[in-house]
Amino acid sequence: MGTNRTYKQSDAKVTFILETLEKWQQTSGQGGVLMDGSLPFYSADGSPHQVDAGWIPEHAWSQRTLSNGQRQPCLTPSFAVKVTSADEPEFSRNHAEMVNLRDQGCQLGWLIEPTAEYVYVFQPGYPVHQIPTFDYYIDGRGVLQGFEFPLRCL
């Protein structure tokens, strides 16, 4: 019963993230495709991925290909989010996947751990940065121009 409750709480958090991204896209005029967990994909190195939320600019979406005869697209989102818990066995796997996405060209990734109120920020050319509080907004860091996300809402 506890696991089901955690899933529902996590699902609501992901829904809020996706809704905030959608509002940003509508008001900013940025063309692109929003991703949710229902779209599995492969990065250029053949690694399978699935993120809770993401965004791909229109030009990158139009250039996607199919990976090795698979039905899933070969692409890397410019922005990717995973929501997890540090005490879940998947945390280290999710962390490694975000590092891989960054190394494959994802320009901004967030691994959000709502229970402990941590966000791990992944960007090419920078070490993983941990934000240890939900007391402020996090921004799109040049990838999502004008995007601000209220961490406290999680």
Side-chain angles (χ1 to χ4, degrees), residues 33-64:
V33 175
L34 293 175
M35 301 171 63
D36 63 15
S38 68
L39 178 64
F41 61 93
Y42 290 86
S43 54
D45 71 351
S47 300
H49 298 283
Q50 199 163 5
V51 297
D52 293 318
W55 181 75
I56 303 163
E58 189 65 45
H59 66 84
W61 180 257
S62 64
Q63 295 174 4
R64 73 192 183 285

PDB file of all heavy atoms in Angstrom, residues 33-64:
ATOM      1  N   VAL A  33       8.811  19.491 -28.806  1.00  0.00           N
ATOM      2  CA  VAL A  33       7.979  18.371 -28.392  1.00  0.00           C
ATOM      3  C   VAL A  33       8.233  18.090 -26.923  1.00  0.00           C
ATOM      4  O   VAL A  33       9.378  17.924 -26.500  1.00  0.00           O
ATOM      5  CB  VAL A  33       8.290  17.117 -29.241  1.00  0.00           C
ATOM      6  CG1 VAL A  33       7.513  15.913 -28.749  1.00  0.00           C
ATOM      7  CG2 VAL A  33       8.001  17.386 -30.711  1.00  0.00           C
ATOM      8  N   LEU A  34       7.157  18.072 -26.139  1.00  0.00           N
ATOM      9  CA  LEU A  34       7.255  17.683 -24.736  1.00  0.00           C
ATOM     10  C   LEU A  34       7.187  16.164 -24.654  1.00  0.00           C
ATOM     11  O   LEU A  34       6.410  15.528 -25.365  1.00  0.00           O
ATOM     12  CB  LEU A  34       6.117  18.301 -23.936  1.00  0.00           C
ATOM     13  CG  LEU A  34       6.147  19.817 -23.792  1.00  0.00           C
ATOM     14  CD1 LEU A  34       4.889  20.298 -23.075  1.00  0.00           C
ATOM     15  CD2 LEU A  34       7.393  20.271 -23.062  1.00  0.00           C
ATOM     16  N   MET A  35       7.997  15.605 -23.791  1.00  0.00           N
ATOM     17  CA  MET A  35       8.034  14.151 -23.604  1.00  0.00           C
ATOM     18  C   MET A  35       7.543  13.808 -22.209  1.00  0.00           C
ATOM     19  O   MET A  35       7.788  14.541 -21.262  1.00  0.00           O
ATOM     20  CB  MET A  35       9.471  13.642 -23.727  1.00  0.00           C
ATOM     21  CG  MET A  35      10.147  13.927 -25.029  1.00  0.00           C
ATOM     22  SD  MET A  35      11.907  13.510 -24.958  1.00  0.00           S
ATOM     23  CE  MET A  35      11.844  11.744 -24.685  1.00  0.00           C
ATOM     24  N   ASP A  36       6.880  12.664 -22.120  1.00  0.00           N
ATOM     25  CA  ASP A  36       6.576  12.106 -20.811  1.00  0.00           C
ATOM     26  C   ASP A  36       7.117  10.685 -20.779  1.00  0.00           C
ATOM     27  O   ASP A  36       7.775  10.246 -21.718  1.00  0.00           O
ATOM     28  CB  ASP A  36       5.081  12.179 -20.494  1.00  0.00           C
ATOM     29  CG  ASP A  36       4.226  11.351 -21.442  1.00  0.00           C
ATOM     30  OD1 ASP A  36       4.761  10.481 -22.176  1.00  0.00           O
ATOM     31  OD2 ASP A  36       3.009  11.555 -21.443  1.00  0.00           O
ATOM     32  N   GLY A  37       6.847   9.970 -19.731  1.00  0.00           N
ATOM     33  CA  GLY A  37       7.384   8.631 -19.565  1.00  0.00           C
ATOM     34  C   GLY A  37       6.881   7.607 -20.553  1.00  0.00           C
ATOM     35  O   GLY A  37       7.383   6.485 -20.597  1.00  0.00           O
ATOM     36  N   SER A  38       5.909   7.961 -21.377  1.00  0.00           N
ATOM     37  CA  SER A  38       5.370   6.989 -22.322  1.00  0.00           C
ATOM     38  C   SER A  38       6.191   6.879 -23.611  1.00  0.00           C
ATOM     39  O   SER A  38       5.906   6.034 -24.442  1.00  0.00           O
ATOM     40  CB  SER A  38       3.917   7.344 -22.675  1.00  0.00           C
ATOM     41  OG  SER A  38       3.886   8.543 -23.431  1.00  0.00           O
ATOM     42  N   LEU A  39       7.219   7.734 -23.769  1.00  0.00           N
ATOM     43  CA  LEU A  39       8.017   7.709 -24.985  1.00  0.00           C
ATOM     44  C   LEU A  39       9.428   7.206 -24.694  1.00  0.00           C
ATOM     45  O   LEU A  39      10.307   7.974 -24.318  1.00  0.00           O
ATOM     46  CB  LEU A  39       8.101   9.111 -25.611  1.00  0.00           C
ATOM     47  CG  LEU A  39       8.951   9.231 -26.868  1.00  0.00           C
ATOM     48  CD1 LEU A  39       8.369   8.413 -28.009  1.00  0.00           C
ATOM     49  CD2 LEU A  39       9.096  10.685 -27.280  1.00  0.00           C
ATOM     50  N   PRO A  40       9.655   5.899 -24.856  1.00  0.00           N
ATOM     51  CA  PRO A  40      11.028   5.403 -24.718  1.00  0.00           C
ATOM     52  C   PRO A  40      11.823   5.807 -25.956  1.00  0.00           C
ATOM     53  O   PRO A  40      11.266   5.988 -27.032  1.00  0.00           O
ATOM     54  CB  PRO A  40      10.851   3.885 -24.637  1.00  0.00           C
ATOM     55  CG  PRO A  40       9.560   3.609 -25.307  1.00  0.00           C
ATOM     56  CD  PRO A  40       8.708   4.843 -25.144  1.00  0.00           C
ATOM     57  N   PHE A  41      13.123   5.982 -25.790  1.00  0.00           N
ATOM     58  CA  PHE A  41      13.968   6.373 -26.915  1.00  0.00           C
ATOM     59  C   PHE A  41      15.372   5.843 -26.691  1.00  0.00           C
ATOM     60  O   PHE A  41      15.708   5.353 -25.621  1.00  0.00           O
ATOM     61  CB  PHE A  41      13.972   7.896 -27.081  1.00  0.00           C
ATOM     62  CG  PHE A  41      14.500   8.643 -25.883  1.00  0.00           C
ATOM     63  CD1 PHE A  41      15.841   8.992 -25.794  1.00  0.00           C
ATOM     64  CD2 PHE A  41      13.660   8.986 -24.845  1.00  0.00           C
ATOM     65  CE1 PHE A  41      16.326   9.666 -24.687  1.00  0.00           C
ATOM     66  CE2 PHE A  41      14.136   9.679 -23.734  1.00  0.00           C
ATOM     67  CZ  PHE A  41      15.477  10.007 -23.661  1.00  0.00           C
ATOM     68  N   TYR A  42      16.190   5.934 -27.725  1.00  0.00           N
ATOM     69  CA  TYR A  42      17.582   5.511 -27.676  1.00  0.00           C
ATOM     70  C   TYR A  42      18.471   6.707 -27.956  1.00  0.00           C
ATOM     71  O   TYR A  42      18.177   7.506 -28.842  1.00  0.00           O
ATOM     72  CB  TYR A  42      17.867   4.428 -28.727  1.00  0.00           C
ATOM     73  CG  TYR A  42      17.214   3.112 -28.406  1.00  0.00           C
ATOM     74  CD1 TYR A  42      15.903   2.861 -28.783  1.00  0.00           C
ATOM     75  CD2 TYR A  42      17.906   2.128 -27.731  1.00  0.00           C
ATOM     76  CE1 TYR A  42      15.296   1.648 -28.483  1.00  0.00           C
ATOM     77  CE2 TYR A  42      17.307   0.913 -27.425  1.00  0.00           C
ATOM     78  CZ  TYR A  42      16.005   0.684 -27.798  1.00  0.00           C
ATOM     79  OH  TYR A  42      15.412  -0.513 -27.500  1.00  0.00           O
ATOM     80  N   SER A  43      19.575   6.828 -27.205  1.00  0.00           N
ATOM     81  CA  SER A  43      20.548   7.874 -27.517  1.00  0.00           C
ATOM     82  C   SER A  43      21.464   7.347 -28.621  1.00  0.00           C
ATOM     83  O   SER A  43      21.396   6.181 -29.008  1.00  0.00           O
ATOM     84  CB  SER A  43      21.326   8.287 -26.269  1.00  0.00           C
ATOM     85  OG  SER A  43      21.921   7.190 -25.644  1.00  0.00           O
ATOM     86  N   ALA A  44      22.322   8.201 -29.126  1.00  0.00           N
ATOM     87  CA  ALA A  44      23.179   7.852 -30.267  1.00  0.00           C
ATOM     88  C   ALA A  44      24.070   6.646 -29.990  1.00  0.00           C
ATOM     89  O   ALA A  44      24.425   5.916 -30.919  1.00  0.00           O
ATOM     90  CB  ALA A  44      24.031   9.052 -30.665  1.00  0.00           C
ATOM     91  N   ASP A  45      24.418   6.400 -28.731  1.00  0.00           N
ATOM     92  CA  ASP A  45      25.259   5.247 -28.406  1.00  0.00           C
ATOM     93  C   ASP A  45      24.461   3.954 -28.276  1.00  0.00           C
ATOM     94  O   ASP A  45      25.005   2.915 -27.948  1.00  0.00           O
ATOM     95  CB  ASP A  45      26.072   5.505 -27.137  1.00  0.00           C
ATOM     96  CG  ASP A  45      25.237   5.508 -25.866  1.00  0.00           C
ATOM     97  OD1 ASP A  45      23.986   5.488 -25.943  1.00  0.00           O
ATOM     98  OD2 ASP A  45      25.838   5.530 -24.770  1.00  0.00           O
ATOM     99  N   GLY A  46      23.152   4.027 -28.530  1.00  0.00           N
ATOM    100  CA  GLY A  46      22.298   2.839 -28.470  1.00  0.00           C
ATOM    101  C   GLY A  46      21.699   2.566 -27.110  1.00  0.00           C
ATOM    102  O   GLY A  46      20.972   1.592 -26.933  1.00  0.00           O
ATOM    103  N   SER A  47      21.986   3.419 -26.126  1.00  0.00           N
ATOM    104  CA  SER A  47      21.452   3.219 -24.779  1.00  0.00           C
ATOM    105  C   SER A  47      19.957   3.530 -24.754  1.00  0.00           C
ATOM    106  O   SER A  47      19.539   4.575 -25.247  1.00  0.00           O
ATOM    107  CB  SER A  47      22.147   4.142 -23.779  1.00  0.00           C
ATOM    108  OG  SER A  47      23.522   3.899 -23.740  1.00  0.00           O
ATOM    109  N   PRO A  48      19.158   2.628 -24.171  1.00  0.00           N
ATOM    110  CA  PRO A  48      17.724   2.915 -24.045  1.00  0.00           C
ATOM    111  C   PRO A  48      17.484   3.884 -22.887  1.00  0.00           C
ATOM    112  O   PRO A  48      18.189   3.860 -21.883  1.00  0.00           O
ATOM    113  CB  PRO A  48      17.126   1.547 -23.734  1.00  0.00           C
ATOM    114  CG  PRO A  48      18.232   0.804 -23.065  1.00  0.00           C
ATOM    115  CD  PRO A  48      19.508   1.314 -23.657  1.00  0.00           C
ATOM    116  N   HIS A  49      16.494   4.757 -23.060  1.00  0.00           N
ATOM    117  CA  HIS A  49      16.156   5.736 -22.031  1.00  0.00           C
ATOM    118  C   HIS A  49      14.652   5.930 -21.958  1.00  0.00           C
ATOM    119  O   HIS A  49      13.935   5.710 -22.926  1.00  0.00           O
ATOM    120  CB  HIS A  49      16.778   7.108 -22.346  1.00  0.00           C
ATOM    121  CG  HIS A  49      18.257   7.091 -22.392  1.00  0.00           C
ATOM    122  ND1 HIS A  49      19.046   7.068 -21.274  1.00  0.00           N
ATOM    123  CD2 HIS A  49      19.112   7.089 -23.447  1.00  0.00           C
ATOM    124  CE1 HIS A  49      20.315   7.058 -21.623  1.00  0.00           C
ATOM    125  NE2 HIS A  49      20.379   7.074 -22.943  1.00  0.00           N
ATOM    126  N   GLN A  50      14.245   6.389 -20.805  1.00  0.00           N
ATOM    127  CA  GLN A  50      12.872   6.821 -20.589  1.00  0.00           C
ATOM    128  C   GLN A  50      12.931   7.853 -19.471  1.00  0.00           C
ATOM    129  O   GLN A  50      13.482   7.583 -18.404  1.00  0.00           O
ATOM    130  CB  GLN A  50      11.996   5.633 -20.188  1.00  0.00           C
ATOM    131  CG  GLN A  50      10.547   5.875 -20.373  1.00  0.00           C
ATOM    132  CD  GLN A  50       9.757   4.561 -20.373  1.00  0.00           C
ATOM    133  OE1 GLN A  50      10.307   3.492 -20.133  1.00  0.00           O
ATOM    134  NE2 GLN A  50       8.489   4.660 -20.631  1.00  0.00           N
ATOM    135  N   VAL A  51      12.441   9.045 -19.727  1.00  0.00           N
ATOM    136  CA  VAL A  51      12.474  10.110 -18.727  1.00  0.00           C
ATOM    137  C   VAL A  51      11.050  10.423 -18.295  1.00  0.00           C
ATOM    138  O   VAL A  51      10.095  10.116 -19.007  1.00  0.00           O
ATOM    139  CB  VAL A  51      13.187  11.368 -19.265  1.00  0.00           C
ATOM    140  CG1 VAL A  51      14.647  11.063 -19.572  1.00  0.00           C
ATOM    141  CG2 VAL A  51      12.504  11.949 -20.474  1.00  0.00           C
ATOM    142  N   ASP A  52      10.911  11.028 -17.132  1.00  0.00           N
ATOM    143  CA  ASP A  52       9.579  11.399 -16.652  1.00  0.00           C
ATOM    144  C   ASP A  52       9.043  12.608 -17.405  1.00  0.00           C
ATOM    145  O   ASP A  52       7.848  12.712 -17.656  1.00  0.00           O
ATOM    146  CB  ASP A  52       9.617  11.692 -15.154  1.00  0.00           C
ATOM    147  CG  ASP A  52       9.911  10.439 -14.344  1.00  0.00           C
ATOM    148  OD1 ASP A  52       9.346   9.381 -14.675  1.00  0.00           O
ATOM    149  OD2 ASP A  52      10.697  10.519 -13.387  1.00  0.00           O
ATOM    150  N   ALA A  53       9.937  13.530 -17.752  1.00  0.00           N
ATOM    151  CA  ALA A  53       9.563  14.731 -18.506  1.00  0.00           C
ATOM    152  C   ALA A  53      10.766  15.154 -19.328  1.00  0.00           C
ATOM    153  O   ALA A  53      11.910  14.932 -18.929  1.00  0.00           O
ATOM    154  CB  ALA A  53       9.131  15.848 -17.571  1.00  0.00           C
ATOM    155  N   GLY A  54      10.497  15.759 -20.452  1.00  0.00           N
ATOM    156  CA  GLY A  54      11.591  16.238 -21.284  1.00  0.00           C
ATOM    157  C   GLY A  54      11.079  17.161 -22.371  1.00  0.00           C
ATOM    158  O   GLY A  54       9.874  17.305 -22.584  1.00  0.00           O
ATOM    159  N   TRP A  55      12.032  17.774 -23.047  1.00  0.00           N
ATOM    160  CA  TRP A  55      11.701  18.680 -24.140  1.00  0.00           C
ATOM    161  C   TRP A  55      12.749  18.541 -25.230  1.00  0.00           C
ATOM    162  O   TRP A  55      13.947  18.465 -24.949  1.00  0.00           O
ATOM    163  CB  TRP A  55      11.654  20.124 -23.638  1.00  0.00           C
ATOM    164  CG  TRP A  55      11.308  21.110 -24.699  1.00  0.00           C
ATOM    165  CD1 TRP A  55      10.083  21.347 -25.251  1.00  0.00           C
ATOM    166  CD2 TRP A  55      12.198  22.021 -25.360  1.00  0.00           C
ATOM    167  NE1 TRP A  55      10.149  22.329 -26.206  1.00  0.00           N
ATOM    168  CE2 TRP A  55      11.449  22.763 -26.281  1.00  0.00           C
ATOM    169  CE3 TRP A  55      13.561  22.269 -25.254  1.00  0.00           C
ATOM    170  CZ2 TRP A  55      12.020  23.737 -27.090  1.00  0.00           C
ATOM    171  CZ3 TRP A  55      14.127  23.241 -26.059  1.00  0.00           C
ATOM    172  CH2 TRP A  55      13.343  23.968 -26.960  1.00  0.00           C
ATOM    173  N   ILE A  56      12.247  18.502 -26.457  1.00  0.00           N
ATOM    174  CA  ILE A  56      13.105  18.406 -27.636  1.00  0.00           C
ATOM    175  C   ILE A  56      12.738  19.555 -28.565  1.00  0.00           C
ATOM    176  O   ILE A  56      11.569  19.697 -28.932  1.00  0.00           O
ATOM    177  CB  ILE A  56      12.887  17.073 -28.375  1.00  0.00           C
ATOM    178  CG1 ILE A  56      13.131  15.903 -27.431  1.00  0.00           C
ATOM    179  CG2 ILE A  56      13.770  16.975 -29.611  1.00  0.00           C
ATOM    180  CD1 ILE A  56      12.575  14.604 -27.929  1.00  0.00           C
ATOM    181  N   PRO A  57      13.717  20.386 -28.963  1.00  0.00           N
ATOM    182  CA  PRO A  57      13.397  21.461 -29.899  1.00  0.00           C
ATOM    183  C   PRO A  57      12.865  20.896 -31.216  1.00  0.00           C
ATOM    184  O   PRO A  57      13.205  19.780 -31.606  1.00  0.00           O
ATOM    185  CB  PRO A  57      14.737  22.167 -30.125  1.00  0.00           C
ATOM    186  CG  PRO A  57      15.642  21.684 -29.057  1.00  0.00           C
ATOM    187  CD  PRO A  57      15.118  20.365 -28.599  1.00  0.00           C
ATOM    188  N   GLU A  58      12.042  21.673 -31.868  1.00  0.00           N
ATOM    189  CA  GLU A  58      11.403  21.233 -33.115  1.00  0.00           C
ATOM    190  C   GLU A  58      12.422  20.731 -34.136  1.00  0.00           C
ATOM    191  O   GLU A  58      12.220  19.697 -34.767  1.00  0.00           O
ATOM    192  CB  GLU A  58      10.575  22.378 -33.701  1.00  0.00           C
ATOM    193  CG  GLU A  58       9.696  21.966 -34.866  1.00  0.00           C
ATOM    194  CD  GLU A  58       8.608  20.978 -34.473  1.00  0.00           C
ATOM    195  OE1 GLU A  58       7.965  21.186 -33.442  1.00  0.00           O
ATOM    196  OE2 GLU A  58       8.406  19.988 -35.208  1.00  0.00           O
ATOM    197  N   HIS A  59      13.530  21.454 -34.309  1.00  0.00           N
ATOM    198  CA  HIS A  59      14.523  21.053 -35.312  1.00  0.00           C
ATOM    199  C   HIS A  59      15.134  19.688 -34.985  1.00  0.00           C
ATOM    200  O   HIS A  59      15.388  18.881 -35.872  1.00  0.00           O
ATOM    201  CB  HIS A  59      15.622  22.111 -35.477  1.00  0.00           C
ATOM    202  CG  HIS A  59      16.484  22.280 -34.261  1.00  0.00           C
ATOM    203  ND1 HIS A  59      17.560  21.486 -33.981  1.00  0.00           N
ATOM    204  CD2 HIS A  59      16.406  23.161 -33.244  1.00  0.00           C
ATOM    205  CE1 HIS A  59      18.116  21.856 -32.844  1.00  0.00           C
ATOM    206  NE2 HIS A  59      17.423  22.887 -32.374  1.00  0.00           N
ATOM    207  N   ALA A  60      15.377  19.393 -33.709  1.00  0.00           N
ATOM    208  CA  ALA A  60      15.933  18.095 -33.318  1.00  0.00           C
ATOM    209  C   ALA A  60      14.902  16.980 -33.501  1.00  0.00           C
ATOM    210  O   ALA A  60      15.236  15.872 -33.916  1.00  0.00           O
ATOM    211  CB  ALA A  60      16.416  18.143 -31.867  1.00  0.00           C
ATOM    212  N   TRP A  61      13.641  17.278 -33.199  1.00  0.00           N
ATOM    213  CA  TRP A  61      12.581  16.285 -33.371  1.00  0.00           C
ATOM    214  C   TRP A  61      12.438  15.902 -34.840  1.00  0.00           C
ATOM    215  O   TRP A  61      12.289  14.735 -35.187  1.00  0.00           O
ATOM    216  CB  TRP A  61      11.265  16.808 -32.816  1.00  0.00           C
ATOM    217  CG  TRP A  61      10.136  15.831 -32.951  1.00  0.00           C
ATOM    218  CD1 TRP A  61       9.132  15.868 -33.864  1.00  0.00           C
ATOM    219  CD2 TRP A  61       9.921  14.661 -32.161  1.00  0.00           C
ATOM    220  NE1 TRP A  61       8.286  14.793 -33.683  1.00  0.00           N
ATOM    221  CE2 TRP A  61       8.753  14.031 -32.643  1.00  0.00           C
ATOM    222  CE3 TRP A  61      10.601  14.081 -31.092  1.00  0.00           C
ATOM    223  CZ2 TRP A  61       8.251  12.861 -32.098  1.00  0.00           C
ATOM    224  CZ3 TRP A  61      10.089  12.912 -30.545  1.00  0.00           C
ATOM    225  CH2 TRP A  61       8.934  12.317 -31.044  1.00  0.00           C
ATOM    226  N   SER A  62      12.520  16.882 -35.721  1.00  0.00           N
ATOM    227  CA  SER A  62      12.345  16.604 -37.147  1.00  0.00           C
ATOM    228  C   SER A  62      13.522  15.818 -37.734  1.00  0.00           C
ATOM    229  O   SER A  62      13.385  15.207 -38.782  1.00  0.00           O
ATOM    230  CB  SER A  62      12.136  17.902 -37.929  1.00  0.00           C
ATOM    231  OG  SER A  62      13.285  18.704 -37.858  1.00  0.00           O
ATOM    232  N   GLN A  63      14.661  15.796 -37.032  1.00  0.00           N
ATOM    233  CA  GLN A  63      15.834  15.077 -37.522  1.00  0.00           C
ATOM    234  C   GLN A  63      16.019  13.707 -36.871  1.00  0.00           C
ATOM    235  O   GLN A  63      17.006  13.032 -37.142  1.00  0.00           O
ATOM    236  CB  GLN A  63      17.089  15.917 -37.287  1.00  0.00           C
ATOM    237  CG  GLN A  63      17.097  17.196 -38.075  1.00  0.00           C
ATOM    238  CD  GLN A  63      18.275  18.075 -37.712  1.00  0.00           C
ATOM    239  OE1 GLN A  63      19.137  17.710 -36.929  1.00  0.00           O
ATOM    240  NE2 GLN A  63      18.295  19.271 -38.282  1.00  0.00           N
ATOM    241  N   ARG A  64      15.078  13.290 -36.060  1.00  0.00           N
ATOM    242  CA  ARG A  64      15.234  12.010 -35.367  1.00  0.00           C
ATOM    243  C   ARG A  64      15.192  10.853 -36.367  1.00  0.00           C
ATOM    244  O   ARG A  64      14.638  10.967 -37.451  1.00  0.00           O
ATOM    245  CB  ARG A  64      14.152  11.833 -34.304  1.00  0.00           C
ATOM    246  CG  ARG A  64      12.776  11.549 -34.896  1.00  0.00           C
ATOM    247  CD  ARG A  64      11.681  11.663 -33.860  1.00  0.00           C
ATOM    248  NE  ARG A  64      10.398  11.335 -34.403  1.00  0.00           N
ATOM    249  CZ  ARG A  64       9.667  12.104 -35.201  1.00  0.00           C
ATOM    250  NH1 ARG A  64      10.128  13.282 -35.560  1.00  0.00           N
ATOM    251  NH2 ARG A  64       8.495  11.719 -35.642  1.00  0.00           N
TER     252      ARG A  64
END
